[in-house]
Amino acid sequence: MADDKAPAADAAAADAVAEPEIEEETLFDAPERGSADELLDAGAHDELDAMRHSTAHVMAEAVLDLYPGTQLGIGPAIADGFYYDFKLDRPLTPADLAKIEARMAASIAADHPFVRRELPPEEGRAFFEERAQPFKVEILDDLAAKAKASGSPMPPTSIYEHGPFVDLCKGPHVASTGKVGPFKLLAVSGAYWRGDQTRPALQRIYGTVWPTQEELDAYLWRRAEAKKRDHRRLGVQLDLYSFHDVSPGSAFWHPKGQLLWRTLEAAMRELQARNGYDEVSTPILVSHRVWQQSGHWDHYRDNMFILDIEGQPFSLKPMNCPESTFIYRSRLRSYRDLPLRYAEFGRLHRNELSGALSGLTRVRQFIQDDAHIYVRPDQLQDEITGLLGMIRESYGWFGLEPRYTFATRPDDAIGDPALWDRAEAYIKGALDAAGVPYRVLPKDGTFYAPKIDIYIDDALGREWQLATIQADLTMLPERFDLTYIDEEGKPQRPIAIHRAIYGSLERFIGILVEHFAGAFPLWVAPVQAVVIPIADRHVDAARELVGVLAGRGLRAEVDDSSNRMQYKIRTAQEQKVPYMVVLGDREVEAREGTLRRRGAAKDEPQVTLGWDALADRLAAESERRTVA
RNA sequence: GCCGACAUAGCUCAGCGGUAGAGCAGCUGUUUCGUAAACAGCAGGUCCGCAGUUCGAAUCUGCGUGUCGGCUCCA
């Protein structure tokens, strides 16, 4: 299954990165999701977070002042900023944000100190009752219930005051509103109280705040840059893919996009072949009996597309793993057969909520570079070591630096704890042997497997999870009764490794487009070189040169339009083609071409080479699979 | 799925009750040019769909579809 998770934007990314440098005072246990503790914990785990959270208070002050009667939800610090949830009578508009910003600036200029006060619990509750803040009252009631349940006394109600504004809050805060740095309100959106659809709908205002103007500007620049690089936009501009309402959540791949896809796929196939993989392909449309056996029918059915076929329920596969076992079981396996490595570029369908669909990163159908590897327990560590090597090599093709997390046995794990311990020891051994830094996420494994997740940061510093390696002890091996015959002729259970390296090809391509802003390295670029004849009389030679380049496996085109050379260069630049080869009288005469690099500076010296030398040079660079 | 916004030419957008517009791209012609936009002309639209209000709807209303920002979900 090798499931790739799309980190749900900033929130999840923040979760993943939040490893605060801790001082005893601000040390928090991760509160339970949706708990009153979590609602109180404003995410202020260091000084910057404290400032962000304080800015949320200042914003709440402004909103309360401008729109009396507003009910306050919660207002934590998040990655890059903060938000606050409000219950208001009418929807907020961008014009409102400007007004709120102005009011905030006034509060900051007034430099109100933040004052912490503690009230006895009953008084605290009455305090927020009086101020008609039912959400705050609810948080306090929850805390009281929790205290009662655990037999501990209800702690005092801590409130923070600054100027006219008071909020229920655990803190900490900066000393005064004047310590709030340069900020900007970014967006308003909807959110439910406690993330629960059945609870009141609130309006959430997002903002960002930084210690210095330079940092704020840099952040806003990154946001603007991210928008410019948006793969949905660049995909149209570079003619790679498009989306159409006849198939929401699925891309239509244009010739250049498909070329890009095939290039990535071919590289992975080549890597897999070098590492002892076999490739398989299993049906997309499968009886529900498979999913009953795997457990998906009970746990994942809502995400599956189910069809009625002659009265029998079938489904489009959301994962490849269960079907891979049919190939494993198609004959008796010996201990000598293992490891068996089955790669599958399988097309998967998952019924994502319509509101969650987005470009290539959140789709309803996609293809994973999936594999299922069946090993003996004693082979697990070496296999994982090998996988870490493959990941490092392939990410290197794109200049990406992998980072690792190791998630261990959760409380609801199935299977023999002793086996878990062994598997975890092997994974740890492999990670240590690889000499890579990694973070342990205790109890964060899937219920059937400890796992390694691999993350990268893109060119704009955004974190993405790509690869995953899961050591499945029970789901495939036991539910599908997989065995191999050992040296003594006895049946034994193999371990199944689920892994993906790119993850979903769709998502990977979306990330690459944004990472490179569409300017792919030579080996990836769908069109690697455009040959530019200066005048019509050079077109025949240009075509001939394209033939020479194609003969060396390069993807090249001629621009034989009637435009001037300048215009052709501009077009090639806009299409982010890595190389242009200019042909004029001088070059045609000598069977040469003048090489122009994408993005070349005006005064950059250019080389003129003979056709074969040119082809050699580009082919060598392309075959190296490096970023330029 | 839920909350909010949006949907006009291939693309980016203007028009917001009275005959549908621009730039780029496209096509045709002229130009044959040395490193990021030659010149001229032509063509291009179920103004997302369906209903309604109105003498008249791209424009107002309702429903549907899709997209975007979030929420939610993520074996």
Side-chain angles (χ1 to χ4, degrees), chain A residues 450-604:
Chain A
K451 62 171 179 172
I452 301 173
D453 284 331
I454 291 90
Y455 296 81
I456 56 107
D457 287 335
D458 73 9
L460 295 179
R462 295 170 301 182
E463 180 179 69
W464 300 93
Q465 191 218 317
L466 300 176
T468 185
I469 302 173
Q470 304 171 359
D472 175 7
L473 312 169
T474 46
M475 188 181 73
L476 294 187
E478 298 202 340
R479 288 205 168 159
F480 290 91
D481 191 25
L482 306 183
T483 57
Y484 63 89
I485 305 301
D486 70 10
E487 294 93 320
E488 288 160 22
K490 294 211 190 82
Q492 299 290 349
R493 282 261 183 264
I495 293 174
I497 299 172
H498 308 242
R499 63 107 268 216
I501 293 180
Y502 293 146
S504 111
L505 267 296
E506 278 81 353
R507 205 166 85 93
F508 190 72
I509 289 173
I511 291 167
L512 284 188
V513 168
E514 299 195 3
H515 177 65
F516 292 115
F520 300 110
L522 181 68
W523 79 272
V524 178
V527 178
Q528 298 178 296
V530 172
V531 179
I532 297 179
I534 289 179
D536 283 352
R537 62 180 177 279
H538 310 124
V539 167
D540 286 343
R543 294 214 172 98
E544 223 184 307
L545 173 53
V546 164
V548 172
L549 296 172
R552 298 297 308 270
L554 291 160
R555 302 179 288 273
E557 290 180 352
V558 184
D559 185 345
D560 56 5
S561 66
S562 67
N563 293 304
R564 302 192 327 155
M565 181 198 59
Q566 281 86 335
Y567 191 90
K568 294 176 184 178
I569 287 175
R570 182 183 143 87
T571 305
Q573 278 292 145
E574 280 179 341
Q575 290 298 304
K576 319 223 178 204
V577 177
Y579 286 106
M580 287 144 257
V581 183
V582 175
L583 286 189
D585 289 335
R586 298 199 293 268
E587 287 86 354
V588 170
E589 174 79 14
R591 290 179 78 77
E592 290 179 334
T594 298
L595 197 57
R596 184 188 198 281
R597 225 170 37 86
R598 170 181 62 202
K602 273 212 162 16
D603 51 355
E604 186 166 316

Side-chain angles (χ1 to χ4, degrees), chain A residues 9-293:
Chain A
D10 295 18
D15 271 0
V17 219
E19 195 164 25
E21 278 101 69
I22 297 158
E23 300 185 12
E24 56 287 6
E25 202 185 28
T26 50
L27 178 64
F28 298 99
D29 287 330
E32 190 187 325
R33 206 169 142 55
S35 69
D37 271 346
E38 190 201 24
L39 299 186
L40 259 185
D41 176 6
H45 293 200
D46 62 24
E47 214 175 304
L48 182 57
D49 281 348
M51 182 179 79
R52 290 185 166 147
H53 176 48
S54 300
T55 315
H57 274 224
V58 172
M59 179 169 77
E61 175 204 347
V63 170
L64 217 48
D65 185 36
L66 288 165
Y67 315 100
T70 298
Q71 294 175 10
L72 302 172
I74 60 166
I78 54 173
D80 302 328
F82 59 91
Y83 68 80
Y84 211 117
D85 288 342
F86 304 101
K87 188 157 190 304
L88 287 155
D89 307 335
R90 63 170 183 88
L92 291 167
T93 63
D96 291 313
L97 290 190
K99 272 196 276 181
I100 296 167
E101 279 183 350
R103 191 58 63 102
M104 290 170 69
S107 174
I108 290 167
D111 198 20
H112 303 297
F114 278 95
V115 179
R116 180 187 173 100
R117 280 204 285 148
E118 294 195 350
L119 303 175
E122 324 74 61
E123 244 180 80
R125 189 180 190 285
F127 185 89
F128 288 102
E129 261 310 282
E130 269 166 41
R131 280 163 180 74
Q133 291 299 347
F135 299 117
K136 302 297 180 184
V137 173
E138 183 178 327
I139 294 172
L140 288 172
D141 286 347
D142 272 24
L143 282 176
K146 198 182 153 201
K148 197 172 170 194
S150 68
S152 48
M154 173 69 178
T157 302
S158 74
I159 61 176
Y160 274 83
E161 240 177 310
H162 76 266
F165 181 76
V166 192
D167 199 358
L168 172 66
C169 182
K170 195 163 164 181
H173 279 278
V174 293
S176 66
T177 57
K179 305 282 184 209
V180 165
F183 72 94
K184 185 165 173 55
L185 302 188
L186 299 173
V188 52
S189 70
Y192 296 98
W193 173 239
R194 295 188 153 182
D196 181 345
Q197 262 184 51
T198 65
R199 309 298 308 272
L202 309 176
Q203 296 186 65
R204 174 170 297 178
I205 304 179
Y206 284 93
T208 187
V209 58
W210 298 85
T212 64
Q213 186 66 40
E214 294 73 63
E215 285 165 282
L216 174 64
D217 290 344
Y219 173 71
L220 294 176
W221 178 85
R222 267 193 289 144
R223 265 176 73 92
E225 185 65 19
K227 203 171 170 190
K228 264 195 268 173
R229 291 172 175 229
D230 189 320
H231 72 275
R232 291 167 296 203
R233 201 185 144 87
L234 283 173
V236 173
Q237 201 176 310
L238 303 179
D239 197 17
L240 299 175
Y241 43 77
S242 54
F243 298 90
H244 303 276
D245 59 10
V246 291
S247 186
S250 310
F252 287 67
W253 290 89
H254 299 197
K256 282 179 191 160
Q258 189 66 9
L259 212 44
L260 172 57
W261 181 298
R262 290 292 173 212
T263 302
L264 299 176
E265 204 178 43
M268 188 53 66
R269 282 205 164 98
E270 184 274 327
L271 179 66
Q272 287 176 165
R274 258 193 285 135
N275 282 273
Y277 281 74
D278 295 312
E279 191 168 326
V280 300
S281 176
T282 64
I284 288 171
L285 184 60
V286 211
S287 165
H288 78 302
R289 285 182 285 120
V290 172
W291 311 111
Q292 282 178 326
Q293 191 172 356

Side-chain angles (χ1 to χ4, degrees), chain A residues 387-405 431 434-439 452-458 463-469 500-502 508 515:
Chain A
L387 281 169
L388 293 174
M390 287 172 75
I391 288 166
R392 224 168 348 173
E393 176 176 348
S394 52
Y395 285 22
W397 301 336
F398 309 96
L400 298 172
E401 198 64 51
R403 279 207 314 275
Y404 307 82
T405 62
L431 281 167
V436 295
Y438 60 94
R439 272 192 314 127
I452 301 173
D453 284 331
I454 291 90
Y455 296 81
I456 56 107
D457 287 335
D458 73 9
E463 180 179 69
W464 300 93
Q465 191 218 317
L466 300 176
T468 185
I469 302 173
I501 293 180
Y502 293 146
F508 190 72
H515 177 65

Side-chain angles (χ1 to χ4, degrees), chain A residues 372-392:
Chain A
H372 297 92
I373 305 169
Y374 300 93
V375 296
R376 290 183 255 126
D378 64 284
Q379 294 171 323
L380 181 59
Q381 180 164 333
D382 282 349
E383 195 59 30
I384 289 173
T385 301
L387 281 169
L388 293 174
M390 287 172 75
I391 288 166
R392 224 168 348 173

